[in-house]
């Protein structure tokens, strides 16, 4: 891993969506990237301003291999992905043409969540559960109904939160940790005010990703994909969730790029198995570029303990749905939520940026040598 100075980290990490966007656009300009800007037509920023997903494209337009890097699928997790993309733009100023790879950087694919500091979209949709095939009924997740009131307490008081957490622990003892992690994380399509809600149709961000792929990945045969996230894994360390078929050629390719010990890690879910996720952005890319082979992963950086992350998700829910919560508490709670997903600690930021720079270079070299 490349050591990252305080100066580099602070020039890449931003304090707000607006600042992150500004730095990304400046870095894209410095790198001579082609820009494509998508304005969210259904929602506005906290200050009433416009929200955009910004796309920077480098490399030969006819290259058959591509590297696609996405930030901000889950709003407050976007600060790390944004920092990583900015660092890559600066590195690519001279490198991309020589590599014969199309590099497509998608900044803030969920700009509402990024700007408002919420994991979900303007419709409380977990974008990373929204890329299902909407021509069929969404996958059912019946046990979620029992867990819903325990995950999303209706009132923000220590008593209500403790009661909900006790109920959740009792459910986990009865059904097992594997079931708990799977039911709560796989995605649900029945509770619009719930956790990991996949929506009732395609979100603006989902439609936008399809347009981005149509415009910028036309004719591409091979796509290396990184979707940056935070919140799972050991603090400051990367945690890989490769969604290629385990043991298949895509999986083996990912192991070749990033190391088998990274891709095949068993950590991240407190000892439970990986949830049976539905509607991932990875699936969206596969669907929107059917002629291309896609190899890639969600790559998380750990931030805090699972208990603290569960609490952060409760804050996210409460800020959106609890009308009785005094407005005077909002700013402090939102800051707590942000610090849980994108810690302010300079040491953490330097660690994750160092890993991210190395991981992106491995993917870029992997995409360049993929035949
Ligand atoms: Zn995430």
């Amino acid at each position: 891993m490349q050591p990252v100075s305080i100066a580099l980290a602070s020039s890449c990490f931003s304090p707000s969506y607006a600042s992150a966007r500004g730095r990304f656009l400046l870095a894209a300009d410095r790198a001579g990237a082609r820009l494509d800007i998508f304005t969210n037509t259904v929602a506005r920023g906290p200050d009433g301003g416009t929200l955009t997903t910004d796309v920077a494209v480098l490399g030969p337009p006819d290259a058959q291999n591509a590297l696609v890097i996405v930030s901000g699928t889950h709003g407050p997790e976007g600060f790390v992905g944004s920092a990583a993309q900015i660092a890559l733009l600066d590195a690519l100023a001279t490198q991309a043409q020589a590599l014969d790879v199309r590099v497509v950087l998608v900044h803030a694919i969920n700009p509402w969540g990024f700007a408002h500091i919420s994991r979900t979209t303007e419709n409380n949709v977990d974008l990373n559960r929204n890329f299902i095939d909407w021509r069929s009924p969404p996958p059912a997740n019946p046990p979620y109904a029992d867990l819903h009131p325990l995950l999303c307490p209706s009132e923000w008081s220590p008593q209500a939160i403790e009661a909900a957490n006790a109920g959740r622990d009792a459910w986990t003892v009865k059904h097992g940790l594997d079931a708990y992690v799977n039911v709560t994380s796989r995605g649900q399509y029945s509770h619009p005010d719930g956790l990991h809600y996949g929506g009732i149709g395609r979100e603006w961000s989902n439609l936008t990703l399809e347009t981005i792929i149509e415009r910028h990945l036309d004719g591409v045969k091979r796509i290396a994909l990184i979707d940056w996230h935070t919140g799972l894994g050991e603090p400051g360390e990367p945690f890989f969730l490769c969604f290629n078929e385990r043991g298949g050629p895509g999986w083996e390719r990912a192991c070749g790029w990033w190391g088998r010990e990274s891709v095949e890690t068993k950590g991240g879910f407190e000892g439970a198995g990986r949830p049976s996720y539905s509607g991932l952005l990875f699936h969206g890319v596969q669907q929107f570029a059917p002629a291309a082979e896609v190899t890639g992963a969600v790559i998380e950086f750990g931030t805090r303990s699972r208990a603290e992350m569960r609490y952060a998700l409760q804050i996210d829910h409460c800020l959106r749905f609890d009308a009785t919560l005094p407005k005077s508490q909002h700013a402090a709670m939102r800051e707590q939520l942000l610090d849980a997903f994108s810690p302010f600690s300079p040491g953490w930021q330097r660690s994750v940026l160092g890993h991210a720079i190395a991981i992106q270079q491995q993917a870029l070299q992997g995409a360049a040598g993929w035949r």
Side-chain angles (χ1 to χ4, degrees):
M1 178 182 98
Q2 174 183 330
V4 165
S5 66
I6 292 174
L8 178 60
S10 60
S11 72
C12 293
F13 273 91
S14 304
S16 67
Y17 160 78
S19 162
R21 174 169 195 251
R23 289 182 198 206
F24 178 80
L25 294 178
L26 280 174
D29 186 51
R30 283 197 298 272
R34 305 181 288 284
L35 268 180
D36 200 4
I37 295 171
F38 296 82
T39 301
N40 187 319
T41 49
V42 294
R44 315 284 291 185
D47 57 357
T50 54
L51 295 169
T52 60
T53 294
D54 300 296
V55 182
V57 184
L58 297 101
D62 58 348
Q64 295 193 334
N65 292 9
L67 169 63
V68 178
I69 301 181
V70 179
S71 68
T73 303
H74 293 141
E77 305 173 22
F79 292 90
V80 175
S82 171
Q85 289 173 326
I86 289 166
L88 183 62
L89 279 168
D90 284 339
L92 281 180
T94 54
Q95 194 182 9
Q97 298 293 338
L99 280 172
D100 198 22
V101 173
R102 250 186 271 188
V103 176
V104 179
L105 304 179
V106 181
H107 189 265
I109 187 63
N110 165 17
W112 191 94
F114 203 147
H116 288 260
I117 312 297
S118 176
R119 206 172 155 279
T120 56
T121 68
E122 51 272 20
N123 299 313
N124 190 45
V125 168
D126 183 331
L127 184 59
N128 218 23
R129 307 292 181 273
N130 186 244
F131 293 91
I132 59 170
D133 182 352
W134 286 102
R135 292 168 302 184
S136 307
N141 184 0
Y144 178 82
D146 288 340
L147 277 164
H148 175 71
L150 308 174
L151 299 168
C152 304
S154 55
E155 173 198 319
W156 194 254
S157 69
Q159 296 81 356
I161 294 165
E162 269 174 43
N165 291 352
R168 187 193 62 205
D169 292 347
W171 194 99
T172 307
V173 167
K174 186 172 173 195
H175 299 277
L177 184 63
D178 278 315
Y180 174 80
V181 169
N182 191 41
V183 170
T184 55
S185 303
R186 62 180 293 184
Q188 56 85 15
Y189 300 81
S190 52
H191 292 67
D193 62 338
L195 201 61
H196 303 305
Y197 171 58
I200 52 169
R202 296 180 64 191
E203 287 292 282
W204 175 87
S205 301
N206 177 322
L207 297 164
T208 298
L209 185 69
E210 181 172 18
T211 308
I212 292 167
I213 289 174
E214 279 173 4
R215 282 193 198 168
H216 300 293
L217 294 166
D218 185 42
V220 155
K221 293 197 172 141
R222 302 165 199 93
I223 299 173
L225 174 68
I226 296 175
D227 183 15
W228 287 121
H229 287 252
T230 66
L232 282 178
E234 295 299 314
E237 297 297 319
F239 172 62
F240 288 71
L241 285 163
C242 175
F243 291 110
N244 289 98
E245 187 195 349
R246 194 179 178 92
W251 180 278
E252 291 301 313
R253 194 173 297 112
C255 290
W257 296 346
W258 293 311
R260 188 169 298 279
E261 67 289 353
S262 297
V263 173
E264 298 193 343
T265 175
K266 300 270 193 307
F269 298 102
E270 286 181 307
R274 186 197 286 193
S276 313
Y277 293 111
S278 49
L280 297 165
L281 182 139
F282 181 89
H283 300 140
V285 174
Q286 284 181 315
Q287 191 188 323
F288 304 147
E293 209 176 333
V294 183
T295 294
V298 157
I299 306 176
E300 303 262 354
F301 286 107
T303 57
R304 305 198 183 283
S305 70
R306 291 285 284 171
E308 287 172 287
M309 297 318 289
R310 283 194 289 260
Y311 186 64
L313 291 174
Q314 288 173 328
I315 292 178
D316 197 1
H317 176 266
C318 168
L319 281 168
R320 189 189 286 248
F321 291 107
D322 185 354
T324 67
L325 185 74
K327 287 271 183 264
S328 58
Q329 291 187 30
H330 280 221
M333 287 172 69
R334 206 169 291 288
E335 188 151 304
Q336 204 177 349
L337 171 61
L338 175 57
D339 189 46
F341 282 101
S342 288
F344 308 140
S345 149
W348 186 87
Q349 294 185 351
R350 290 168 68 191
S351 171
V352 300
L353 188 57
H355 283 298
I357 288 170
I359 289 166
Q360 289 179 151
Q361 282 297 335
Q362 288 162 337
L364 183 60
Q365 298 301 330
W370 184 0
R371 292 289 174 264

